Amino acid sequence: MFPGLSALVVHDLKNRLAVHEQRLTELLAAHPDLAAELGPLRTDAVALQRRLVAFLTLYRDDAHGLAANEQEEDPVLAVEQAARFARTISARQDIVVEVDASRAPADWFFDAYLVGLALEAAVDNAARYAGSSIRLSARCEDGWLVLAVEDDGPGLDGEPIIANDGERTGLGTELCRTVARLHTNDGRIGELLLVDLCDGEGAHGARFELRLP
């Protein structure tokens, strides 16, 4: 099958999922007593739609090349939007979603759309493996904007979220790498980092970091 045709099919599937998501949202509002049955379906529709968007973004980069439209943005808004997405897809899991913006800079230059996609990909992974909480944060560190998504799951020895060595790759991983690579400033290129929080002394989980110059 031609790559262009594949992209058209995926685009159509994405749009159909959006219609189903909207219909499920309306049904949930009209019939809250069916939340246990309809909620998981809506959650899956939302997550699958985001993954198809990720595929189309990577296809456009591979076929035509993408450029980050870096503008002055508020990093806090970026993590808050990702937190809303986390609450949407993790509602049935009773997971607490927290945001720490106490060390966030007032503004930074980045592509809000692409960064939003990367954070949603990280949140999608975190929601799958979190035990009870997901924590999003923004901070300025040594001249970098660090946007982080942290979970309290099994850590890298269990189910990895992002693997920088290239041995374990997935759609979300490739999207995050691409978004990081597209952000440059004064010769520096954005970075993707995953920190294993398991220390053998009770701490557990993993932290995804998108580091933008």
Side-chain angles (χ1 to χ4, degrees), residues 123-176:
V123 162
D124 186 26
N125 279 296
R128 283 188 254 171
Y129 307 123
S132 61
S133 66
I134 298 174
R135 183 171 178 268
L136 297 96
S137 62
R139 71 181 188 274
C140 187
E141 181 179 281
D142 299 327
W144 295 80
L145 171 64
V146 182
L147 302 173
V149 177
E150 182 177 315
D151 71 79
D152 62 347
L156 300 185
D157 289 336
E159 297 289 347
I161 297 176
I162 301 292
N164 285 325
D165 57 12
E167 294 180 359
R168 298 178 179 180
T169 61
L171 187 62
T173 303
E174 292 306 315
L175 175 66
C176 293

Side-chain angles (χ1 to χ4, degrees), residues 5-199:
L5 180 58
S6 298
L8 288 174
V9 171
V10 170
H11 188 272
D12 184 57
L13 290 173
K14 174 186 70 70
N15 290 341
R16 294 304 303 167
L17 275 171
V19 172
H20 291 315
E21 177 199 342
Q22 180 59 36
R23 180 56 179 152
L24 286 167
T25 299
E26 294 170 354
L27 288 172
L28 278 167
H31 304 282
D33 56 307
L34 296 179
E37 292 79 13
L38 297 179
L41 296 176
R42 181 181 179 277
T43 296
D44 287 343
V46 171
L48 287 171
Q49 184 186 6
R50 294 305 198 280
R51 289 170 200 169
L52 293 178
V53 170
F55 171 85
L56 291 172
T57 302
L58 291 172
Y59 168 79
R60 286 194 293 269
D61 182 54
D62 185 60
H64 310 292
L66 283 177
N69 181 23
E70 299 181 55
Q71 299 186 40
E72 190 173 4
E73 304 284 355
D74 184 349
V76 177
L77 293 181
V79 293
E80 287 180 343
Q81 180 176 335
R84 287 193 293 272
F85 176 67
R87 295 185 183 102
T88 297
I89 66 172
S90 62
R92 62 175 175 160
Q93 303 176 36
D94 194 28
I95 293 176
V96 175
V97 179
E98 302 174 338
V99 174
D100 178 9
S102 59
R103 293 186 290 164
D107 52 62
W108 205 269
F109 279 86
F110 60 89
D111 187 314
Y113 174 74
L114 290 177
V115 167
L117 290 181
L119 290 177
E120 286 183 356
V123 162
D124 186 26
N125 279 296
R128 283 188 254 171
Y129 307 123
S132 61
S133 66
I134 298 174
R135 183 171 178 268
L136 297 96
S137 62
R139 71 181 188 274
C140 187
E141 181 179 281
D142 299 327
W144 295 80
L145 171 64
V146 182
L147 302 173
V149 177
E150 182 177 315
D151 71 79
D152 62 347
L156 300 185
D157 289 336
E159 297 289 347
I161 297 176
I162 301 292
N164 285 325
D165 57 12
E167 294 180 359
R168 298 178 179 180
T169 61
L171 187 62
T173 303
E174 292 306 315
L175 175 66
C176 293
R177 284 184 179 142
T178 298
V179 172
R181 173 179 55 80
L182 292 174
H183 284 79
T184 62
N185 182 27
D186 196 24
R188 296 181 300 167
I189 302 174
E191 300 175 349
L192 185 64
L193 179 67
L194 184 69
V195 181
D196 192 345
L197 302 178
C198 298
D199 60 7

